Amino acid sequence: MGQLIVQEFVTADGFAADANNEFTAYEMLEGGTAEFDRSQVAWLDTVDAMVLGAATYRMFAEFWPTPASDGEVIAPALNALRRFVFSRTLKSAPWGGLPEATVESGDAVEAIRRIKSETVGSVVLWGSLTLGEAFFKAGEVDGVRLVVMPVAIGAGRGVFPAGQDPALLRLLSATTYDAGLVELEYSVRTAGATAPGRGAAGGS
C-alpha cells in the first residue's frame, strides 16, 4: 500500500501560491540549490508515482520531459516516475517522447485510493493545490514535505484546506539546505489521534 506525500514549496509566511494563484517565489532565490537537489534525488528513489492536476501537468510537461531540463539533476528520476493527471477535460496527457501520463477523469478520491492500493512506494503530489485540498479533506494524505523558502509575499493560498478539522502533524525531520531552504517533513495523523502521554480530554 503506497503512501500519498504532498510536497510543496512554500514561502516563509506559509503560502504555496500568491493572490493570483501563481507561484513565482522560487525565482527570487539567491544562490544554487545543488544540495537540496541531491537530497531530492535520494528521496525520489522511494517514490513510485506522481499525481498532478491539469494546470501543474501542463507546466511540468513543458519542461521536465524536454531538453530544457537537461541540466537538472533530478530530471531522470522525476521522468522515471509513473504519472497520473487528474482532469475532466484532458483526453490525453503526453510526456514528451516518454510514455503518456494516465488521465484520471472520474472521482478523484476514488482514483487516489486505487493508485495507492496499486503502489508499493510513495505517491507524490506536487503543486495542484485544489487536488491536494480534496485529498486532505478525504483523509488520504499520509505525509507532508514543506520546503520553506526565505521569501515572504504577505498574502496568498496555503497548502492546507480551510474549514476542516485541524490536521494533526507529527514532525519527522527538519533539514536546512543551500539557498536558505528548510524542508519540514511531517506525518499526518487522523483528527481523533491522541498525542503520546496525554489523555483525550487532557487528563493525567
Side-chain angles (χ1 to χ4, degrees):
M1 181 73 173
Q3 288 198 326
L4 176 61
I5 308 298
V6 171
Q7 185 186 50
E8 301 285 2
F9 280 82
V10 297
T11 61
D13 44 356
F15 300 112
D18 62 21
N20 295 319
N21 206 34
E22 299 176 348
F23 193 74
T24 58
Y26 195 84
E27 301 168 5
M28 304 178 195
L29 287 182
E30 297 181 356
T33 60
E35 184 182 17
F36 174 75
D37 291 343
R38 288 193 297 270
S39 173
Q40 278 288 95
V41 171
W43 175 60
L44 287 174
D45 280 342
T46 70
V47 177
D48 286 342
M50 71 171 86
V51 293
L52 307 170
T56 303
Y57 155 72
R58 292 186 180 96
M59 289 187 292
F60 272 43
E62 290 174 358
F63 180 77
W64 290 110
T66 74
S69 72
D70 285 350
E72 301 289 340
V73 67
I74 72 168
L78 185 149
N79 284 322
L81 300 177
R82 292 189 298 139
R83 298 170 283 275
F84 298 87
V85 176
F86 287 68
S87 174
R88 288 190 168 89
T89 58
L90 291 176
K91 302 302 181 185
S92 64
W95 197 264
L98 298 171
E100 291 189 0
T102 299
V103 176
E104 299 287 350
S105 58
D107 183 89
V109 173
E110 290 182 2
I112 196 60
R113 287 172 179 161
R114 187 193 72 251
I115 292 167
K116 288 170 66 176
S117 72
E118 297 171 349
T119 303
V120 176
S122 296
V123 179
V124 61
L125 180 143
W126 284 306
S128 315
L129 295 178
T130 298
L131 188 61
E133 288 181 357
F135 295 157
F136 274 113
K137 290 178 180 178
E140 292 299 325
V141 177
D142 302 292
V144 179
R145 299 172 73 100
L146 299 180
V147 184
V148 184
M149 307 168 61
V151 174
I153 59 175
R157 185 176 179 183
V159 173
F160 302 95
Q164 69 159 10
D165 291 336
L168 299 176
L169 306 178
R170 182 168 67 90
L171 181 65
L172 300 178
S173 67
T175 309
T176 58
Y177 295 101
D178 42 5
L181 300 178
V182 180
E183 185 169 39
L184 304 174
E185 181 185 4
Y186 297 95
S187 64
V188 180
R189 297 178 291 175
T190 61
T194 302
R198 297 188 181 183
S204 58

